[in-house]
Amino acid sequence: MAGEGSCGKTVDAGARLARSGIWAEAWAQIDAPDGMVNIAYEGLDRHVLHGHGSELALIWLGKDGVRVEYSFADLAAQTSRFAGVLTDYGLKEGDSVFSLMGRIPELYITALGTLKAGLVFTPLFSAFGPEPIRTRMEIGNARVLVTTEALYKRKIEPLRASLPSLELVLITGNEAPEGCTALGPALAAASPDIAVANTTPETPALIHFTSGTTGKPKGAVHVHQAVVYHAYSGRKALDLTPGTIYWCTADPGWVTGTSYGIIAPLVNRATMIVVEAEFDLERWYETIQREKVEVWYTAPTAIRMMMRAGAKAAMPYDFSSLRFMASVGEPLNPEAVIWSEKVFGQPFHDNWWQTETGGIMIANRPGMTVKPGSMGKPLPGVEASIVDNEASNLREAGENEIGELALRPGWPSMMRSYIHEQARYDKCFADGWYLSGDLAMRDADGYFWFVGRADDLIKSSGHLIGPFEVESALIEHPAIAEAGVIGIPDETAGEVVKAYVTLNPDFAPSDTLERDIRGHARKKLGAAVAPREIIFRKSLPKTRSGKIMRRLLKARELGLPEGDISTLETDES
Ligand code: ATP
Ligand code: MG
């Protein structure tokens, strides 16, 4: 699947390099004989073979208060049965299995069973509407879908005729509507000891769609050797060790929920907590206390909701089990780092990566000094830099200079292509660098600081303004819960800053409040950078993975077409 365009060479070189130096050490930590490697084997069967089958792999906390434990042996057996269902059906390497489910145990069995069978797995958010589901299944050429009866009836049945590649629809439980197969009896009839497929390091394993924050989502293809990096980064960046009670709050509908919500914990023999329900403050705090969560991986959007509820709401709970807390997905405002230190006795550790990179690239690792507002430093083995790609020649930027965040390909979990979009993929590479599309700076200590998406940068009276800096200053104001900042055209300045904000409880929109916020921003940022205008909103437009969609705020502001909004979640003016 390696690209054939101008950067095909880069990626092949990457795949080769992934066996040398630090990656050779990482390979040695997994159990990949004769050039074969399989993610599901590394996460489950390997532990069973080494005598750890009875240890807990997954604790599932259902919406209605049900709690179910799965050992490594349980999951190894169930995923083998599921792999058996797929191979009995006649699927073969390269065939594509999709899931459309909430965070229920069948989702995890589907993911790992598909990988064990050597097929390609693609998870979809259960909350997606029919159109985003249809386009993704069409792009990924889905032959199989695993879903629930309710989701099938509501979302799949009406569009099934428009999905000619979809042959087998498996429905969780013991009964299935016409044209579908019930998963329960199929699993019961399948053999529990199917052989793991002979997947190689380069066998395609997963297609993950990007969040769609900046435009039409891309389908990033990942291969089985990614597991080497998930094992490595799980240890280095999240401190996962055998037996660690670990909770990743992300849904497998986006990459964090798979790389670090399934693969990294299992391969490191940690116990993963899976909570079916969406964000619910009390339920979350209770989960940490009751399950004695040790490592917690979440996102800024959730952290800002905790902050909005206030430190008082956290007081009744015992968080003493927590030894490491991390955040990803969006920039983590310094205010959130400082707040978490007060409430949990330790900071959230920000880390940066993308669907494309498959794993954490830059992080505030355990034991590192946290500089609030910084994403941390590249993991050992990851070569990251800030480059200026505007001029005719790509040039590495100096200290504290804003430029595009770039990575040297060569780590094992790098994407291998954007499915059916070779040209878009090729554009990601220049001069031997992978270009992230994000702007950042590196300081004298080697810490990286996020500035904004390349598309979101604001140019005002000769200043370059990153929306993150302005948003972080705004949420230091006691009234503000969240902020999204864009640049709007201005005759004299080129662009000026405009901010959309949501308020904390106990605050209501008013002219006085707007004046006060603008005064606060001017004091913090200076008149050139402070927003000229503040708009109060009930919520900000966000993707399903919790990212503020600034491009949508801007398109509306300018009366332009909204573009692809297939991943849009909340949005109330
Ligand atoms: P699309 O590529 O479709 O526009 P997306 O980039 O949001 O969507 P993801 O791959 O889910 O899709 O998200 C990766 C992006 O999220 C990064 O490129 C970056 O912009 C942002 N991001 C992730 N972690 C951080 C972080 N710690 N700090 C700042 N930004 C982050
Ligand atoms: Mg992106």
Side-chain angles (χ1 to χ4, degrees), residues 274-287:
V274 171
V275 177
E276 184 184 10
E278 295 299 319
F279 182 83
D280 168 341
L281 190 80
E282 280 174 24
R283 177 108 205 247
W284 275 35
Y285 286 163
E286 241 171 61
T287 298

Side-chain angles (χ1 to χ4, degrees), residues 171-436:
I171 303 287
T172 59
N174 291 322
E175 277 160 49
E178 213 192 306
C180 303
T181 305
L183 182 61
L187 286 175
S191 159
D193 24 57
I194 186 188
V196 177
N198 282 333
T199 44
T200 72
E202 287 299 301
T203 304
L206 291 146
I207 300 171
H208 257 297
F209 287 90
T210 59
S211 290
T213 317
T214 56
K216 183 168 163 268
K218 299 145 271 191
V221 176
H222 291 281
V223 295
H224 275 273
Q225 68 167 302
V227 69
V228 174
Y229 196 76
H230 296 140
Y232 172 81
S233 55
R235 285 194 302 274
K236 287 275 178 203
L238 298 175
D239 202 23
L240 298 180
T241 54
T244 297
I245 307 288
Y246 166 70
W247 183 25
C248 169
T249 64
D251 190 287
W254 67 295
V255 71
T256 306
T258 304
S259 292
Y260 296 97
I262 306 179
I263 304 170
L266 292 178
V267 74
N268 282 302
R269 235 169 80 219
T271 302
M272 54 191 203
I273 305 286
V274 171
V275 177
E276 184 184 10
E278 295 299 319
F279 182 83
D280 168 341
L281 190 80
E282 280 174 24
R283 177 108 205 247
W284 275 35
Y285 286 163
E286 241 171 61
T287 298
I288 293 167
Q289 172 175 292
R290 238 195 251 154
E291 300 297 337
K292 302 197 168 43
V293 172
E294 293 164 294
V295 176
W296 186 24
Y297 195 19
T298 189
T301 177
I303 298 168
R304 289 191 297 258
M305 282 196 267
M306 294 178 218
M307 291 168 72
R308 188 172 183 171
K312 247 190 168 157
M315 266 165 45
Y317 299 92
D318 174 7
F319 298 122
S320 59
S321 60
L322 285 171
R323 76 162 188 268
F324 190 72
M325 318 192 311
S327 163
V328 71
E330 277 201 302
L332 184 64
N333 315 92
E335 179 79 358
V337 177
I338 292 156
W339 184 86
S340 61
E341 235 162 356
K342 264 196 315 234
V343 172
F344 300 102
Q346 61 183 305
F348 274 106
H349 295 74
D350 190 17
N351 59 52
W352 176 94
W353 58 290
Q354 306 178 301
T355 308
E356 290 86 343
T357 70
I360 299 169
M361 296 282 107
I362 296 177
N364 288 284
R365 295 197 304 280
M368 246 172 81
T369 304
V370 173
K371 296 190 187 185
S374 162
M375 322 190 274
K377 296 183 187 184
L379 258 62
V382 170
E383 188 185 345
S385 192
I386 305 294
V387 302
D388 177 353
N389 194 27
E390 300 274 284
S392 55
N393 284 323
L394 183 143
R395 165 184 78 81
E396 284 194 61
E399 240 167 70
N400 296 322
E401 191 185 331
I402 295 178
E404 185 162 0
L405 176 51
L407 301 158
R408 196 70 88 179
W411 67 95
S413 67
M414 176 59 172
M415 69 162 164
R416 294 299 189 261
S417 64
Y418 283 140
I419 191 158
H420 306 323
E421 295 197 273
Q422 188 65 42
R424 218 171 169 192
Y425 175 80
D426 289 344
K427 266 173 72 184
C428 302
F429 299 88
D431 273 6
W433 289 99
Y434 163 71
L435 303 170
S436 69

